[in-house]
mmCIF file with all atom_site columns, all heavy atoms in Angstrom:
data_model
loop_
_atom_site.group_PDB
_atom_site.id
_atom_site.type_symbol
_atom_site.label_atom_id
_atom_site.label_alt_id
_atom_site.label_comp_id
_atom_site.label_asym_id
_atom_site.label_entity_id
_atom_site.label_seq_id
_atom_site.pdbx_PDB_ins_code
_atom_site.Cartn_x
_atom_site.Cartn_y
_atom_site.Cartn_z
_atom_site.occupancy
_atom_site.B_iso_or_equiv
_atom_site.pdbx_formal_charge
_atom_site.auth_seq_id
_atom_site.auth_comp_id
_atom_site.auth_asym_id
_atom_site.auth_atom_id
_atom_site.pdbx_PDB_model_num
ATOM 1   N N   . GLY E 1 1  ? -223.278 -55.954 -32.722 1.00 97.00 ? 1407 GLY E N   1
ATOM 2   C CA  . GLY E 1 1  ? -222.794 -54.625 -33.091 1.00 97.00 ? 1407 GLY E CA  1
ATOM 3   C C   . GLY E 1 1  ? -223.894 -53.617 -33.316 1.00 97.00 ? 1407 GLY E C   1
ATOM 4   O O   . GLY E 1 1  ? -223.627 -52.415 -33.401 1.00 97.00 ? 1407 GLY E O   1
ATOM 5   N N   . PHE E 1 2  ? -225.134 -54.083 -33.419 1.00 97.00 ? 1408 PHE E N   1
ATOM 6   C CA  . PHE E 1 2  ? -226.276 -53.184 -33.595 1.00 97.00 ? 1408 PHE E CA  1
ATOM 7   C C   . PHE E 1 2  ? -226.831 -52.789 -32.230 1.00 97.00 ? 1408 PHE E C   1
ATOM 8   O O   . PHE E 1 2  ? -226.910 -53.612 -31.309 1.00 97.00 ? 1408 PHE E O   1
ATOM 9   C CB  . PHE E 1 2  ? -227.376 -53.856 -34.418 1.00 97.00 ? 1408 PHE E CB  1
ATOM 10  C CG  . PHE E 1 2  ? -226.926 -54.280 -35.784 1.00 97.00 ? 1408 PHE E CG  1
ATOM 11  C CD1 . PHE E 1 2  ? -226.819 -55.621 -36.105 1.00 97.00 ? 1408 PHE E CD1 1
ATOM 12  C CD2 . PHE E 1 2  ? -226.596 -53.341 -36.742 1.00 97.00 ? 1408 PHE E CD2 1
ATOM 13  C CE1 . PHE E 1 2  ? -226.391 -56.019 -37.360 1.00 97.00 ? 1408 PHE E CE1 1
ATOM 14  C CE2 . PHE E 1 2  ? -226.164 -53.725 -37.999 1.00 97.00 ? 1408 PHE E CE2 1
ATOM 15  C CZ  . PHE E 1 2  ? -226.053 -55.074 -38.314 1.00 97.00 ? 1408 PHE E CZ  1
ATOM 16  N N   . VAL E 1 3  ? -227.248 -51.547 -32.109 1.00 97.00 ? 1409 VAL E N   1
ATOM 17  C CA  . VAL E 1 3  ? -227.781 -51.030 -30.851 1.00 97.00 ? 1409 VAL E CA  1
ATOM 18  C C   . VAL E 1 3  ? -229.295 -50.966 -30.951 1.00 97.00 ? 1409 VAL E C   1
ATOM 19  O O   . VAL E 1 3  ? -229.850 -50.448 -31.933 1.00 97.00 ? 1409 VAL E O   1
ATOM 20  C CB  . VAL E 1 3  ? -227.202 -49.639 -30.544 1.00 97.00 ? 1409 VAL E CB  1
ATOM 21  C CG1 . VAL E 1 3  ? -227.855 -49.031 -29.312 1.00 97.00 ? 1409 VAL E CG1 1
ATOM 22  C CG2 . VAL E 1 3  ? -225.689 -49.738 -30.345 1.00 97.00 ? 1409 VAL E CG2 1
ATOM 23  N N   . ALA E 1 4  ? -229.966 -51.493 -29.933 1.00 92.00 ? 1410 ALA E N   1
ATOM 24  C CA  . ALA E 1 4  ? -231.427 -51.555 -29.960 1.00 92.00 ? 1410 ALA E CA  1
ATOM 25  C C   . ALA E 1 4  ? -231.972 -51.606 -28.540 1.00 92.00 ? 1410 ALA E C   1
ATOM 26  O O   . ALA E 1 4  ? -231.246 -51.951 -27.601 1.00 92.00 ? 1410 ALA E O   1
ATOM 27  C CB  . ALA E 1 4  ? -231.889 -52.790 -30.743 1.00 92.00 ? 1410 ALA E CB  1
ATOM 28  N N   . PRO E 1 5  ? -233.255 -51.266 -28.369 1.00 90.00 ? 1411 PRO E N   1
ATOM 29  C CA  . PRO E 1 5  ? -233.881 -51.448 -27.059 1.00 90.00 ? 1411 PRO E CA  1
ATOM 30  C C   . PRO E 1 5  ? -233.878 -52.920 -26.673 1.00 90.00 ? 1411 PRO E C   1
ATOM 31  O O   . PRO E 1 5  ? -233.734 -53.809 -27.518 1.00 90.00 ? 1411 PRO E O   1
ATOM 32  C CB  . PRO E 1 5  ? -235.315 -50.932 -27.269 1.00 90.00 ? 1411 PRO E CB  1
ATOM 33  C CG  . PRO E 1 5  ? -235.256 -50.088 -28.494 1.00 90.00 ? 1411 PRO E CG  1
ATOM 34  C CD  . PRO E 1 5  ? -234.184 -50.681 -29.358 1.00 90.00 ? 1411 PRO E CD  1
ATOM 35  N N   . SER E 1 6  ? -234.046 -53.176 -25.383 1.00 95.00 ? 1412 SER E N   1
ATOM 36  C CA  . SER E 1 6  ? -234.120 -54.561 -24.917 1.00 95.00 ? 1412 SER E CA  1
ATOM 37  C C   . SER E 1 6  ? -235.471 -54.818 -24.263 1.00 95.00 ? 1412 SER E C   1
ATOM 38  O O   . SER E 1 6  ? -236.119 -53.904 -23.760 1.00 95.00 ? 1412 SER E O   1
ATOM 39  C CB  . SER E 1 6  ? -232.993 -54.867 -23.928 1.00 95.00 ? 1412 SER E CB  1
ATOM 40  O OG  . SER E 1 6  ? -233.096 -54.046 -22.788 1.00 95.00 ? 1412 SER E OG  1
ATOM 41  N N   . HIS E 1 7  ? -235.873 -56.068 -24.298 1.00 95.00 ? 1413 HIS E N   1
ATOM 42  C CA  . HIS E 1 7  ? -237.144 -56.482 -23.707 1.00 95.00 ? 1413 HIS E CA  1
ATOM 43  C C   . HIS E 1 7  ? -236.879 -57.152 -22.365 1.00 95.00 ? 1413 HIS E C   1
ATOM 44  O O   . HIS E 1 7  ? -235.918 -57.918 -22.217 1.00 95.00 ? 1413 HIS E O   1
ATOM 45  C CB  . HIS E 1 7  ? -237.867 -57.454 -24.635 1.00 95.00 ? 1413 HIS E CB  1
ATOM 46  C CG  . HIS E 1 7  ? -239.152 -57.970 -24.076 1.00 95.00 ? 1413 HIS E CG  1
ATOM 47  N ND1 . HIS E 1 7  ? -240.276 -57.184 -23.953 1.00 95.00 ? 1413 HIS E ND1 1
ATOM 48  C CD2 . HIS E 1 7  ? -239.479 -59.190 -23.582 1.00 95.00 ? 1413 HIS E CD2 1
ATOM 49  C CE1 . HIS E 1 7  ? -241.253 -57.901 -23.414 1.00 95.00 ? 1413 HIS E CE1 1
ATOM 50  N NE2 . HIS E 1 7  ? -240.795 -59.110 -23.182 1.00 95.00 ? 1413 HIS E NE2 1
ATOM 51  N N   . LEU E 1 8  ? -237.725 -56.845 -21.378 1.00 96.00 ? 1414 LEU E N   1
ATOM 52  C CA  . LEU E 1 8  ? -237.595 -57.446 -20.052 1.00 96.00 ? 1414 LEU E CA  1
ATOM 53  C C   . LEU E 1 8  ? -238.631 -58.559 -19.918 1.00 96.00 ? 1414 LEU E C   1
ATOM 54  O O   . LEU E 1 8  ? -239.839 -58.318 -19.975 1.00 96.00 ? 1414 LEU E O   1
ATOM 55  C CB  . LEU E 1 8  ? -237.803 -56.386 -18.961 1.00 96.00 ? 1414 LEU E CB  1
ATOM 56  C CG  . LEU E 1 8  ? -236.945 -55.117 -19.074 1.00 96.00 ? 1414 LEU E CG  1
ATOM 57  C CD1 . LEU E 1 8  ? -237.200 -54.204 -17.885 1.00 96.00 ? 1414 LEU E CD1 1
ATOM 58  C CD2 . LEU E 1 8  ? -235.461 -55.471 -19.175 1.00 96.00 ? 1414 LEU E CD2 1
ATOM 59  N N   . LYS E 1 9  ? -238.156 -59.782 -19.741 1.00 96.00 ? 1415 LYS E N   1
ATOM 60  C CA  . LYS E 1 9  ? -239.074 -60.913 -19.599 1.00 96.00 ? 1415 LYS E CA  1
ATOM 61  C C   . LYS E 1 9  ? -239.931 -60.763 -18.352 1.00 96.00 ? 1415 LYS E C   1
ATOM 62  O O   . LYS E 1 9  ? -241.086 -61.186 -18.327 1.00 96.00 ? 1415 LYS E O   1
ATOM 63  C CB  . LYS E 1 9  ? -238.280 -62.222 -19.540 1.00 96.00 ? 1415 LYS E CB  1
ATOM 64  C CG  . LYS E 1 9  ? -237.512 -62.538 -20.823 1.00 96.00 ? 1415 LYS E CG  1
ATOM 65  C CD  . LYS E 1 9  ? -236.706 -63.820 -20.668 1.00 96.00 ? 1415 LYS E CD  1
ATOM 66  C CE  . LYS E 1 9  ? -235.895 -64.117 -21.905 1.00 96.00 ? 1415 LYS E CE  1
ATOM 67  N NZ  . LYS E 1 9  ? -235.063 -65.342 -21.761 1.00 96.00 ? 1415 LYS E NZ  1
ATOM 68  N N   . GLU E 1 10 ? -239.344 -60.184 -17.298 1.00 96.00 ? 1416 GLU E N   1
ATOM 69  C CA  . GLU E 1 10 ? -240.080 -59.889 -16.079 1.00 96.00 ? 1416 GLU E CA  1
ATOM 70  C C   . GLU E 1 10 ? -240.194 -58.375 -15.940 1.00 96.00 ? 1416 GLU E C   1
ATOM 71  O O   . GLU E 1 10 ? -239.191 -57.664 -15.991 1.00 96.00 ? 1416 GLU E O   1
ATOM 72  C CB  . GLU E 1 10 ? -239.370 -60.472 -14.853 1.00 96.00 ? 1416 GLU E CB  1
ATOM 73  C CG  . GLU E 1 10 ? -240.071 -60.195 -13.538 1.00 96.00 ? 1416 GLU E CG  1
ATOM 74  C CD  . GLU E 1 10 ? -239.285 -60.682 -12.338 1.00 96.00 ? 1416 GLU E CD  1
ATOM 75  O OE1 . GLU E 1 10 ? -238.613 -61.736 -12.462 1.00 96.00 ? 1416 GLU E OE1 1
ATOM 76  O OE2 . GLU E 1 10 ? -239.314 -60.009 -11.281 1.00 96.00 ? 1416 GLU E OE2 1
ATOM 77  N N   . GLN E 1 11 ? -241.396 -57.890 -15.771 1.00 96.00 ? 1417 GLN E N   1
ATOM 78  C CA  . GLN E 1 11 ? -241.631 -56.448 -15.704 1.00 96.00 ? 1417 GLN E CA  1
ATOM 79  C C   . GLN E 1 11 ? -240.740 -55.785 -14.651 1.00 96.00 ? 1417 GLN E C   1
ATOM 80  O O   . GLN E 1 11 ? -240.617 -56.270 -13.533 1.00 96.00 ? 1417 GLN E O   1
ATOM 81  C CB  . GLN E 1 11 ? -243.102 -56.174 -15.396 1.00 96.00 ? 1417 GLN E CB  1
ATOM 82  C CG  . GLN E 1 11 ? -243.522 -54.723 -15.554 1.00 96.00 ? 1417 GLN E CG  1
ATOM 83  C CD  . GLN E 1 11 ? -244.994 -54.516 -15.209 1.00 96.00 ? 1417 GLN E CD  1
ATOM 84  O OE1 . GLN E 1 11 ? -245.559 -55.232 -14.380 1.00 96.00 ? 1417 GLN E OE1 1
ATOM 85  N NE2 . GLN E 1 11 ? -245.618 -53.539 -15.847 1.00 96.00 ? 1417 GLN E NE2 1
ATOM 86  N N   . PHE E 1 12 ? -240.093 -54.707 -15.060 1.00 96.00 ? 1418 PHE E N   1
ATOM 87  C CA  . PHE E 1 12 ? -239.248 -53.861 -14.208 1.00 96.00 ? 1418 PHE E CA  1
ATOM 88  C C   . PHE E 1 12 ? -237.904 -54.496 -13.823 1.00 96.00 ? 1418 PHE E C   1
ATOM 89  O O   . PHE E 1 12 ? -237.127 -53.888 -13.101 1.00 96.00 ? 1418 PHE E O   1
ATOM 90  C CB  . PHE E 1 12 ? -239.969 -53.453 -12.914 1.00 96.00 ? 1418 PHE E CB  1
ATOM 91  C CG  . PHE E 1 12 ? -241.335 -52.872 -13.107 1.00 96.00 ? 1418 PHE E CG  1
ATOM 92  C CD1 . PHE E 1 12 ? -242.417 -53.340 -12.382 1.00 96.00 ? 1418 PHE E CD1 1
ATOM 93  C CD2 . PHE E 1 12 ? -241.544 -51.840 -14.018 1.00 96.00 ? 1418 PHE E CD2 1
ATOM 94  C CE1 . PHE E 1 12 ? -243.676 -52.793 -12.556 1.00 96.00 ? 1418 PHE E CE1 1
ATOM 95  C CE2 . PHE E 1 12 ? -242.807 -51.288 -14.195 1.00 96.00 ? 1418 PHE E CE2 1
ATOM 96  C CZ  . PHE E 1 12 ? -243.882 -51.769 -13.459 1.00 96.00 ? 1418 PHE E CZ  1
ATOM 97  N N   . ASN E 1 13 ? -237.605 -55.675 -14.310 1.00 96.00 ? 1419 ASN E N   1
ATOM 98  C CA  . ASN E 1 13 ? -236.405 -56.393 -13.872 1.00 96.00 ? 1419 ASN E CA  1
ATOM 99  C C   . ASN E 1 13 ? -235.383 -56.454 -15.001 1.00 96.00 ? 1419 ASN E C   1
ATOM 100 O O   . ASN E 1 13 ? -235.495 -57.275 -15.919 1.00 96.00 ? 1419 ASN E O   1
ATOM 101 C CB  . ASN E 1 13 ? -236.770 -57.800 -13.400 1.00 96.00 ? 1419 ASN E CB  1
ATOM 102 C CG  . ASN E 1 13 ? -235.583 -58.539 -12.801 1.00 96.00 ? 1419 ASN E CG  1
ATOM 103 O OD1 . ASN E 1 13 ? -234.457 -58.032 -12.766 1.00 96.00 ? 1419 ASN E OD1 1
ATOM 104 N ND2 . ASN E 1 13 ? -235.818 -59.745 -12.311 1.00 96.00 ? 1419 ASN E ND2 1
ATOM 105 N N   . VAL E 1 14 ? -234.336 -55.603 -14.943 1.00 95.00 ? 1420 VAL E N   1
ATOM 106 C CA  . VAL E 1 14 ? -233.347 -55.567 -16.022 1.00 95.00 ? 1420 VAL E CA  1
ATOM 107 C C   . VAL E 1 14 ? -232.488 -56.828 -16.039 1.00 95.00 ? 1420 VAL E C   1
ATOM 108 O O   . VAL E 1 14 ? -231.821 -57.104 -17.046 1.00 95.00 ? 1420 VAL E O   1
ATOM 109 C CB  . VAL E 1 14 ? -232.445 -54.319 -15.917 1.00 95.00 ? 1420 VAL E CB  1
ATOM 110 C CG1 . VAL E 1 14 ? -233.250 -53.049 -16.125 1.00 95.00 ? 1420 VAL E CG1 1
ATOM 111 C CG2 . VAL E 1 14 ? -231.689 -54.284 -14.610 1.00 95.00 ? 1420 VAL E CG2 1
ATOM 112 N N   . ALA E 1 15 ? -232.505 -57.586 -14.957 1.00 95.00 ? 1421 ALA E N   1
ATOM 113 C CA  . ALA E 1 15 ? -231.749 -58.842 -14.951 1.00 95.00 ? 1421 ALA E CA  1
ATOM 114 C C   . ALA E 1 15 ? -232.346 -59.850 -15.923 1.00 95.00 ? 1421 ALA E C   1
ATOM 115 O O   . ALA E 1 15 ? -231.692 -60.838 -16.278 1.00 95.00 ? 1421 ALA E O   1
ATOM 116 C CB  . ALA E 1 15 ? -231.711 -59.426 -13.535 1.00 95.00 ? 1421 ALA E CB  1
ATOM 117 N N   . THR E 1 16 ? -233.584 -59.619 -16.366 1.00 97.00 ? 1422 THR E N   1
ATOM 118 C CA  . THR E 1 16 ? -234.241 -60.527 -17.319 1.00 97.00 ? 1422 THR E CA  1
ATOM 119 C C   . THR E 1 16 ? -234.219 -59.956 -18.735 1.00 97.00 ? 1422 THR E C   1
ATOM 120 O O   . THR E 1 16 ? -235.011 -60.349 -19.585 1.00 97.00 ? 1422 THR E O   1
ATOM 121 C CB  . THR E 1 16 ? -235.694 -60.785 -16.891 1.00 97.00 ? 1422 THR E CB  1
ATOM 122 O OG1 . THR E 1 16 ? -236.448 -59.556 -16.985 1.00 97.00 ? 1422 THR E OG1 1
ATOM 123 C CG2 . THR E 1 16 ? -235.757 -61.296 -15.462 1.00 97.00 ? 1422 THR E CG2 1
ATOM 124 N N   . SER E 1 17 ? -233.289 -59.052 -18.992 1.00 96.00 ? 1423 SER E N   1
ATOM 125 C CA  . SER E 1 17 ? -233.229 -58.354 -20.271 1.00 96.00 ? 1423 SER E CA  1
ATOM 126 C C   . SER E 1 17 ? -232.775 -59.270 -21.402 1.00 96.00 ? 1423 SER E C   1
ATOM 127 O O   . SER E 1 17 ? -231.888 -60.108 -21.224 1.00 96.00 ? 1423 SER E O   1
ATOM 128 C CB  . SER E 1 17 ? -232.268 -57.166 -20.144 1.00 96.00 ? 1423 SER E CB  1
ATOM 129 O OG  . SER E 1 17 ? -231.973 -56.624 -21.397 1.00 96.00 ? 1423 SER E OG  1
ATOM 130 N N   . GLU E 1 18 ? -233.376 -59.092 -22.570 1.00 95.00 ? 1424 GLU E N   1
ATOM 131 C CA  . GLU E 1 18 ? -232.884 -59.720 -23.797 1.00 95.00 ? 1424 GLU E CA  1
ATOM 132 C C   . GLU E 1 18 ? -232.956 -58.681 -24.913 1.00 95.00 ? 1424 GLU E C   1
ATOM 133 O O   . GLU E 1 18 ? -233.939 -57.953 -25.035 1.00 95.00 ? 1424 GLU E O   1
ATOM 134 C CB  . GLU E 1 18 ? -233.693 -60.964 -24.169 1.00 95.00 ? 1424 GLU E CB  1
ATOM 135 C CG  . GLU E 1 18 ? -235.160 -60.729 -24.432 1.00 95.00 ? 1424 GLU E CG  1
ATOM 136 C CD  . GLU E 1 18 ? -235.893 -61.992 -24.859 1.00 95.00 ? 1424 GLU E CD  1
ATOM 137 O OE1 . GLU E 1 18 ? -235.266 -63.069 -24.870 1.00 95.00 ? 1424 GLU E OE1 1
ATOM 138 O OE2 . GLU E 1 18 ? -237.087 -61.897 -25.172 1.00 95.00 ? 1424 GLU E OE2 1
ATOM 139 N N   . VAL E 1 19 ? -231.888 -58.594 -25.707 1.00 93.00 ? 1425 VAL E N   1
ATOM 140 C CA  . VAL E 1 19 ? -231.828 -57.578 -26.750 1.00 93.00 ? 1425 VAL E CA  1
ATOM 141 C C   . VAL E 1 19 ? -232.866 -57.889 -27.812 1.00 93.00 ? 1425 VAL E C   1
ATOM 142 O O   . VAL E 1 19 ? -232.990 -59.023 -28.282 1.00 93.00 ? 1425 VAL E O   1
ATOM 143 C CB  . VAL E 1 19 ? -230.431 -57.512 -27.383 1.00 93.00 ? 1425 VAL E CB  1
ATOM 144 C CG1 . VAL E 1 19 ? -230.383 -56.407 -28.437 1.00 93.00 ? 1425 VAL E CG1 1
ATOM 145 C CG2 . VAL E 1 19 ? -229.384 -57.241 -26.319 1.00 93.00 ? 1425 VAL E CG2 1
ATOM 146 N N   . GLY E 1 20 ? -233.629 -56.868 -28.187 1.00 91.00 ? 1426 GLY E N   1
ATOM 147 C CA  . GLY E 1 20 ? -234.657 -57.039 -29.194 1.00 91.00 ? 1426 GLY E CA  1
ATOM 148 C C   . GLY E 1 20 ? -234.214 -56.504 -30.548 1.00 91.00 ? 1426 GLY E C   1
ATOM 149 O O   . GLY E 1 20 ? -233.038 -56.235 -30.789 1.00 91.00 ? 1426 GLY E O   1
ATOM 150 N N   . ILE E 1 21 ? -235.171 -56.392 -31.423 1.00 91.00 ? 1427 ILE E N   1
ATOM 151 C CA  . ILE E 1 21 ? -234.945 -55.762 -32.714 1.00 91.00 ? 1427 ILE E CA  1
ATOM 152 C C   . ILE E 1 21 ? -235.924 -54.603 -32.838 1.00 91.00 ? 1427 ILE E C   1
ATOM 153 O O   . ILE E 1 21 ? -236.961 -54.572 -32.182 1.00 91.00 ? 1427 ILE E O   1
ATOM 154 C CB  . ILE E 1 21 ? -235.116 -56.743 -33.893 1.00 91.00 ? 1427 ILE E CB  1
ATOM 155 C CG1 . ILE E 1 21 ? -236.521 -57.355 -33.886 1.00 91.00 ? 1427 ILE E CG1 1
ATOM 156 C CG2 . ILE E 1 21 ? -234.060 -57.814 -33.860 1.00 91.00 ? 1427 ILE E CG2 1
ATOM 157 C CD1 . ILE E 1 21 ? -236.801 -58.243 -35.084 1.00 91.00 ? 1427 ILE E CD1 1
ATOM 158 N N   . SER E 1 22 ? -235.581 -53.655 -33.662 1.00 88.00 ? 1428 SER E N   1
ATOM 159 C CA  . SER E 1 22 ? -236.467 -52.525 -33.897 1.00 88.00 ? 1428 SER E CA  1
ATOM 160 C C   . SER E 1 22 ? -236.544 -52.283 -35.389 1.00 88.00 ? 1428 SER E C   1
ATOM 161 O O   . SER E 1 22 ? -235.859 -52.944 -36.175 1.00 88.00 ? 1428 SER E O   1
ATOM 162 C CB  . SER E 1 22 ? -235.943 -51.274 -33.183 1.00 88.00 ? 1428 SER E CB  1
ATOM 163 O OG  . SER E 1 22 ? -234.818 -50.760 -33.862 1.00 88.00 ? 1428 SER E OG  1
ATOM 164 N N   . ASP E 1 23 ? -237.339 -51.326 -35.786 1.00 89.00 ? 1429 ASP E N   1
ATOM 165 C CA  . ASP E 1 23 ? -237.372 -50.947 -37.193 1.00 89.00 ? 1429 ASP E CA  1
ATOM 166 C C   . ASP E 1 23 ? -236.137 -50.168 -37.594 1.00 89.00 ? 1429 ASP E C   1
ATOM 167 O O   . ASP E 1 23 ? -235.884 -49.989 -38.786 1.00 89.00 ? 1429 ASP E O   1
ATOM 168 C CB  . ASP E 1 23 ? -238.614 -50.080 -37.470 1.00 89.00 ? 1429 ASP E CB  1
ATOM 169 C CG  . ASP E 1 23 ? -239.831 -50.923 -37.814 1.00 89.00 ? 1429 ASP E CG  1
ATOM 170 O OD1 . ASP E 1 23 ? -239.677 -52.128 -38.011 1.00 89.00 ? 1429 ASP E OD1 1
ATOM 171 O OD2 . ASP E 1 23 ? -240.935 -50.356 -37.892 1.00 89.00 ? 1429 ASP E OD2 1
ATOM 172 N N   . ASN E 1 24 ? -235.396 -49.685 -36.617 1.00 92.00 ? 1430 ASN E N   1
ATOM 173 C CA  . ASN E 1 24 ? -234.379 -48.687 -36.913 1.00 92.00 ? 1430 ASN E CA  1
ATOM 174 C C   . ASN E 1 24 ? -233.018 -49.017 -36.302 1.00 92.00 ? 1430 ASN E C   1
ATOM 175 O O   . ASN E 1 24 ? -232.405 -48.172 -35.655 1.00 92.00 ? 1430 ASN E O   1
ATOM 176 C CB  . ASN E 1 24 ? -234.851 -47.312 -36.425 1.00 92.00 ? 1430 ASN E CB  1
ATOM 177 C CG  . ASN E 1 24 ? -236.121 -46.861 -37.111 1.00 92.00 ? 1430 ASN E CG  1
ATOM 178 O OD1 . ASN E 1 24 ? -236.230 -46.900 -38.323 1.00 92.00 ? 1430 ASN E OD1 1
ATOM 179 N ND2 . ASN E 1 24 ? -237.096 -46.444 -36.327 1.00 92.00 ? 1430 ASN E ND2 1
ATOM 180 N N   . ASP E 1 25 ? -232.532 -50.230 -36.535 1.00 94.00 ? 1431 ASP E N   1
ATOM 181 C CA  . ASP E 1 25 ? -231.191 -50.570 -36.073 1.00 94.00 ? 1431 ASP E CA  1
ATOM 182 C C   . ASP E 1 25 ? -230.151 -49.606 -36.637 1.00 94.00 ? 1431 ASP E C   1
ATOM 183 O O   . ASP E 1 25 ? -229.193 -49.229 -35.956 1.00 94.00 ? 1431 ASP E O   1
ATOM 184 C CB  . ASP E 1 25 ? -230.825 -51.993 -36.501 1.00 94.00 ? 1431 ASP E CB  1
ATOM 185 C CG  . ASP E 1 25 ? -231.323 -53.040 -35.511 1.00 94.00 ? 1431 ASP E CG  1
ATOM 186 O OD1 . ASP E 1 25 ? -232.039 -52.677 -34.567 1.00 94.00 ? 1431 ASP E OD1 1
ATOM 187 O OD2 . ASP E 1 25 ? -230.993 -54.220 -35.705 1.00 94.00 ? 1431 ASP E OD2 1
ATOM 188 N N   . GLY E 1 26 ? -230.330 -49.213 -37.895 1.00 95.00 ? 1432 GLY E N   1
ATOM 189 C CA  . GLY E 1 26 ? -229.371 -48.308 -38.510 1.00 95.00 ? 1432 GLY E CA  1
ATOM 190 C C   . GLY E 1 26 ? -229.357 -46.949 -37.842 1.00 95.00 ? 1432 GLY E C   1
ATOM 191 O O   . GLY E 1 26 ? -228.287 -46.380 -37.602 1.00 95.00 ? 1432 GLY E O   1
#
């Protein structure tokens, strides 16, 4: 339910996306 940037395990490839955490989920 929290919205955050995602990290790409492979550069430029959104198919390798995993949701990360940030300082500012709120």
Side-chain angles (χ1 to χ4, degrees):
F1408 301 112
V1409 174
S1412 62
H1413 178 71
L1414 307 183
K1415 296 178 182 178
E1416 179 185 325
Q1417 191 181 30
F1418 309 130
N1419 186 358
V1420 295
T1422 66
S1423 168
E1424 61 177 4
V1425 182
I1427 58 175
S1428 74
D1429 272 351
N1430 299 311
D1431 274 6

